[in-house]
Amino acid sequence: TPAIALMIMDAAGFAAVGTAVCAVLMVGVLLIWPVTDPQRAGRPVSPRLFRPAWKPAWGRPLLMTILIIVNWGVITGYLPQRAELAGADVGLFFTMDALALVALRIPSGWLAGRIGPLPLLLAGTLLTAASISLLLLPTTNPVLIASGLGTGAGSALVFPVLNLEINERSEPANRGSAFGLYSVAFGTGVAIGSIGLAPFYAAIGWEIAMTFGVVCTLLSAVVAVLDPLMRHPPMARFAAE
């Protein structure tokens, strides 16, 4: 998507990118609209007040989500300006990140249930931390390519595991609340790295802001190690497939 968006923007401007995004979203709405859940068809709906659920078991995966995505808020908020000043093409970073995600998300999702979650989480967080640390170097196109590939690969290892863990720690009655909170945690991490640092960015500069993102990423690995539920063996229902 980043590569396609850049091509559209070069050819027709930013408004065309927005129009294309709206068109894709409308296609998504049309595809989803007629879908019904056969298990719920004909089941009476009982009205009740809006009351999101909460389970303590969700706490650590949600905290990990916040911590590991802080760096993305820093990157999306401030890397484009830094790359432009250095004469580098920031689109290379986002394109490489997307390509790595596309290549590895399905294999990592397949692995997520077949080996314990902790090895994948540690590998993904450490790879992400190492990759975003490259952005502390002078910004050049090779640095952006290498860092983008690494961040995409790290995300592909981490987020399928977190999604599977949240799913497995939920029941049908509260799974919607769990993934709603996951979305809130994701957005909170991005906001901390971008809007949260905005009042201080002029004073602390890129290096301190990016180091903050690296530290938060490493802290997410610590949270994973301290979560005893992350040390379970492969899930039998996946391992048997």
Side-chain angles (χ1 to χ4, degrees):
T1 302
I4 296 172
L6 288 171
M7 291 171 59
I8 295 173
M9 186 165 64
D10 288 340
F14 187 74
V17 176
T19 302
V21 170
C22 291
V24 171
L25 289 174
M26 290 306 299
V27 171
V29 170
L30 293 174
L31 290 173
I32 294 171
W33 189 266
V35 176
T36 57
D37 184 352
Q39 294 183 349
R40 299 187 180 189
R43 184 183 302 175
V45 178
S46 58
R48 65 174 186 175
L49 296 175
F50 175 69
R51 189 174 56 196
W54 168 256
K55 288 185 66 176
W58 300 339
R60 288 189 177 94
L62 294 175
L63 179 58
M64 279 196 67
T65 302
I66 293 173
L67 290 171
I68 200 170
I69 208 64
V70 166
N71 73 83
W72 195 247
V74 177
I75 288 169
T76 56
Y78 307 108
L79 181 61
Q81 301 95 305
R82 179 175 171 84
E84 183 177 7
L85 290 173
D89 184 358
V90 73
L92 292 172
F93 173 88
F94 293 107
T95 300
M96 293 302 105
D97 176 88
L99 290 175
L101 279 172
V102 169
L104 296 177
R105 183 61 71 89
I106 293 177
S108 64
W110 184 88
L111 284 172
R114 290 165 177 80
I115 65 176
L118 193 57
L120 285 176
L121 288 174
L122 291 179
T125 52
L126 294 177
L127 178 57
T128 300
S131 300
I132 61 178
S133 295
L134 293 176
L135 297 175
L136 295 170
L137 301 173
T139 306
T140 62
N141 287 340
V143 166
L144 293 174
I145 290 172
S147 180
L149 287 171
T151 57
S155 296
L157 291 173
V158 168
F159 288 109
V161 176
L162 291 177
N163 277 272
L164 185 58
E165 283 298 308
I166 291 172
N167 181 69
E168 291 297 317
R169 299 181 191 196
S170 307
E171 293 78 38
N174 58 29
R175 190 165 288 124
S177 293
F179 280 97
L181 290 169
Y182 169 80
S183 297
V184 171
F186 196 98
T188 300
V190 174
I192 291 172
S194 55
I195 299 172
L197 291 180
F200 315 103
Y201 185 75
I204 64 177
W206 167 260
E207 287 76 12
I208 300 299
M210 196 69 255
T211 300
F212 178 70
V214 173
V215 171
C216 288
T217 301
L218 294 174
L219 285 176
S220 69
V222 175
V223 173
V225 172
L226 295 178
D227 185 355
L229 296 179
M230 291 289 186
R231 300 178 185 177
H232 64 73
M235 297 174 182
R237 67 188 180 90
F238 290 106
E241 292 179 1

